[in-house]
């Protein structure tokens, strides 16, 4: 049995009781994941009323399994599934999500992803390297002489939102507003969200959509060399994106394009500093830097859970699922599977084992992964090179935003 007082595991029935909003859990979820691997890698989470998978092979397999998908209403009605009608107070959020890449299945998903994918392939993203370096250096110039900084507000928050805004064609000065909209928006994915969280998300979704609608009109009149113009004017098999598809796609790219990377920069700097290992070794060359970045993604991933609907009857690990059932995969736990990773709770930058699943897998593999990886491979070594003697000034506090994982603030001195 688990020695964690806030976690109850019944191994025989594979039932687990755990409060996702308990700071003892979300501050250090890896301890819980280790206990689950030891006792019950596939389990029914009582509070979430759903089956969860933590084993690497199960998670990797489910992400690629076409019997499971992000949508269900394309093949079944709400009545058939006993699903409630959408809530009136989240209608703007629901409208913004209606054509999201994250929520669609083929053929709609294929059409949208094909139109967007070209901008995110590695060879295109690689061209942004000088811009990312210039921005990171400029931000460090702003606080280097102070001998201290709060890294999220002065660095981590700014780089990903600035780069994705530039890519899409959104003015950089919109950065703070985009961050606010995005933080409200992703509140819909938190465990035990409140009515206030839902109303804030809906309000920001409406404002976000209105803003993007205005940008689309402006780009139709004045095309530019940016992703928004590309999405407006490019066709796939004779079809263009509709206005609603353009709005949903732009919002999901802006949100996904920075929210997770902000968390990951903070998480990575923390885990590196707390390890006490030599950063000159970690970042001695490009190959070592890549391995270090992948190890931070493995051990402190920014997004922990992906969900799927069962599209047809299926059995996974002895559990039978009917059409319409929801299942969840804990990516961050799969990254700690002791059958795949030796001493999985230890940060080892030289590790060369299974690939981490932090960006997902299958047709919904994160479209922004090349950009996120490029940003991390540039800004992490730069930060440690520019600020020798970097250390943590105060105990970092983890945000109550599970199933995301990121810090409230990260106070550093040098």
């Amino acid at each position: 049995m688990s020695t964690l007082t806030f976690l109850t595991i019944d191994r025989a029935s594979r039932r687990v009781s755990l409060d996702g909003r308990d700071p003892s859990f979300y501050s250090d979820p890896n301890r819980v994941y280790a206990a689950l691997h030891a006792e019950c890698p596939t389990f029914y989470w009582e509070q979430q009323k759903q089956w969860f998978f933590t084993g690497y092979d199960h998670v990797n397999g489910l992400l690629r399994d076409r019997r499971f998908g992000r949508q269900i209403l394309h093949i079944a009605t709400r009545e058939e599934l006993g699903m409630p009608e959408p809530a009136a107070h989240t209608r703007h959020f629901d409208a913004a999500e209606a054509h999201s890449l994250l929520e669609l299945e083929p053929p709609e998903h294929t059409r949208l992803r094909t139109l967007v994918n070209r901008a995110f392939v590695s060879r295109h993203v690689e061209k942004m390297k000088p811009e990312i370096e210039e921005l990171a250096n400029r931000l460090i110039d702003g606080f280097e002489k102070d001998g201290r900084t709060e890294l999220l507000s002065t660095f981590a928050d700014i780089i990903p939102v600035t780069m994705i805004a530039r890519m899409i064609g959104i003015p950089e000065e919109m950065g703070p507003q985009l961050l606010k909209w995005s933080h409200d928006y992703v509140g819909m994915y938190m465990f035990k969200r409140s009515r206030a969280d839902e109303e804030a998300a809906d309000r920001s979704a409406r404002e976000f959509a209105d803003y993007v609608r205005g940008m689309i009109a402006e780009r139709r009149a004045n095309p530019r060399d940016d992703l928004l113009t590309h999405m407006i004017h490019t066709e796939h098999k004779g079809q263009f994106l509709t206005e609603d598809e353009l709005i949903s796609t732009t919002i999901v790219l802006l949100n996904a394009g920075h929210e997770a990377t902000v968390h990951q920069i903070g998480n990575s700097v923390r885990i590196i500093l707390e390890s006490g290992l030599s950063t000159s070794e970690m970042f001695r060359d490009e190959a070592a830097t890549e391995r270090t970045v992948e190890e931070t993604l493995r051990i402190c991933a920014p997004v922990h859970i992906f969900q799927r609907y069962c599209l047809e009857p299926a059995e996974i690990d002895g559990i039978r699922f009917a059409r319409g059932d929801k299942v969840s995969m804990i990516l961050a736990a799969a990254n700690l599977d002791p059958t795949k990773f030796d001493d999985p709770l230890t940060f080892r930058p030289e590790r060369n084992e299974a690939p981490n699943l932090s960006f997902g897998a299958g047709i919904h593999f994160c479209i922004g992964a090349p950009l996120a990886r490029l940003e991390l491979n540039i800004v992490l070594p730069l930060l440690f090179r520019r600020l020798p003697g970097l250390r943590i000034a105060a105990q970092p506090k983890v945000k109550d935003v599970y199933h995301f994982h990121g810090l409230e603030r990260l106070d550093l001195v040098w």
Side-chain angles (χ1 to χ4, degrees):
M1 287 296 287
S2 165
T3 57
L4 302 173
T5 55
F6 54 90
L7 172 68
T8 305
I9 299 174
D10 185 331
R11 195 171 186 169
S13 66
R14 301 208 268 189
R15 286 179 122 70
V16 167
S17 178
L18 171 66
D19 179 3
R21 297 295 293 271
D22 187 327
S24 303
F25 167 54
Y26 69 71
S27 294
D28 187 10
N30 286 4
R31 290 184 303 155
V32 172
Y33 299 155
L36 290 166
H37 279 300
E39 298 276 341
C40 203
T42 298
F43 65 95
Y44 185 83
W45 192 334
E46 299 279 10
Q47 286 84 346
Q48 306 308 320
K49 298 181 172 53
Q50 219 174 97
W51 283 96
F52 282 73
F53 293 85
T54 66
Y56 185 98
D57 288 338
H58 283 131
V59 170
N60 191 29
L62 274 162
L63 289 168
R64 302 166 191 274
D65 193 329
R66 301 303 299 131
R67 295 173 299 171
F68 294 82
R70 290 293 297 167
Q71 268 180 308
I72 187 67
L73 294 178
H74 63 311
I75 60 165
T77 66
R78 288 180 178 275
E79 292 73 30
E80 280 178 75
L81 301 169
M83 193 183 284
E85 288 300 312
H89 71 282
T90 58
R91 65 187 182 280
H92 297 104
F93 176 86
D94 292 339
E97 287 286 276
H99 303 282
S100 165
L101 272 170
L102 296 175
E103 305 298 333
L104 296 176
E105 288 299 300
E108 289 85 356
H109 175 270
T110 310
R111 184 170 66 91
L112 260 68
R113 185 152 181 143
T114 301
L115 284 168
V116 176
N117 199 48
R118 197 178 315 157
F120 285 92
V121 294
S122 297
R123 68 178 179 277
H124 280 290
V125 167
E126 199 69 30
K127 295 174 187 170
M128 300 172 76
K129 190 172 181 177
E131 289 183 63
I132 298 168
E133 283 180 343
E134 186 277 327
L135 176 58
N137 275 312
R138 181 155 45 88
L139 293 173
I140 296 169
D141 289 344
F143 56 71
E144 183 183 21
K145 62 187 180 305
D146 302 333
R148 63 172 52 245
T149 197
E150 193 292 294
L151 192 74
L152 300 186
S153 57
T154 61
F155 190 77
D157 271 349
I158 300 168
I159 292 171
V161 75
T162 303
M163 297 317 299
I164 194 67
R166 281 184 192 174
M167 205 172 172
I168 291 171
I170 306 286
E172 281 179 45
E173 57 269 23
M174 282 297 292
Q177 180 63 68
L178 294 173
L179 280 172
K180 185 190 178 308
W181 283 334
S182 182
H183 291 331
D184 286 347
Y185 199 92
V186 299
M188 286 294 282
Y189 300 106
M190 293 190 313
F191 278 22
K192 281 193 178 171
R193 64 184 189 239
S194 66
R195 171 78 181 224
D197 292 329
E198 292 175 349
E199 288 172 350
D202 197 64
R203 185 170 56 250
S204 285
R206 187 190 70 235
E207 293 172 5
F208 210 159
D210 286 346
Y211 175 76
V212 173
R213 192 174 287 108
M215 287 298 302
I216 291 167
E218 202 276 326
R219 282 298 181 279
R220 285 194 195 281
N222 301 295
R224 292 191 196 172
D225 183 18
D226 57 32
L227 182 52
L228 186 55
T229 302
H230 165 79
M231 290 193 298
I232 291 168
H233 295 285
T234 305
E235 60 180 298
H236 176 64
K237 295 182 178 175
Q239 286 185 296
F240 291 91
L241 293 182
T242 66
E243 180 105 336
D244 288 343
E245 287 173 337
L246 284 165
I247 290 169
S248 282
T249 305
T250 303
I251 288 176
V252 77
L253 291 175
L254 281 165
N255 283 340
H258 76 272
E259 188 81 27
T261 313
V262 170
H263 291 328
Q264 191 58 35
I265 292 171
N267 293 348
S268 298
V269 171
R270 177 192 184 178
I271 199 87
I272 288 166
L273 288 174
E274 287 182 345
S275 75
L277 299 172
S278 163
T279 54
S280 58
E281 271 301 297
M282 282 185 221
F283 301 120
R284 67 182 178 275
D285 55 32
E286 277 189 23
T289 297
E290 277 182 27
R291 279 198 300 274
T292 299
V293 166
E294 292 307 305
E295 176 67 349
T296 67
L297 283 161
R298 182 194 72 83
I299 203 167
C300 53
V303 181
H304 281 212
I305 294 172
F306 277 3
Q307 294 186 323
R308 295 286 188 271
Y309 285 104
C310 182
L311 304 181
E312 62 183 76
E315 185 175 319
I316 309 289
D317 196 18
I319 310 299
R320 289 183 177 176
F321 296 101
R323 189 167 79 153
D325 287 348
K326 254 187 167 182
V327 300
S328 287
M329 297 141 281
I330 309 183
L331 310 185
N335 289 340
L336 304 175
D337 188 333
T339 68
K340 294 289 178 182
F341 303 98
D342 183 49
D343 193 13
L345 294 189
T346 301
F347 174 67
R348 296 207 326 228
E350 75 287 355
R351 193 184 291 274
N352 186 20
E353 294 169 311
N356 68 73
L357 294 176
S358 298
F359 292 110
I363 67 164
H364 287 285
F365 179 79
C366 176
I367 201 167
L371 176 58
R373 283 188 160 116
L374 182 67
E375 288 172 342
L376 292 162
N377 275 274
I378 291 171
V379 307
L380 291 177
L382 189 59
L383 193 68
F384 285 98
R385 190 170 67 246
R386 290 281 311 268
L387 304 173
L390 194 63
R391 61 190 190 278
I392 296 172
Q395 177 64 32
K397 187 182 175 203
V398 178
K399 289 175 90 167
D400 177 10
V401 290
Y402 192 82
H403 62 93
F404 297 97
H405 184 67
L407 301 174
E408 289 273 6
R409 53 185 297 130
L410 183 58
D411 293 286
L412 303 175
V413 292
W414 54 90

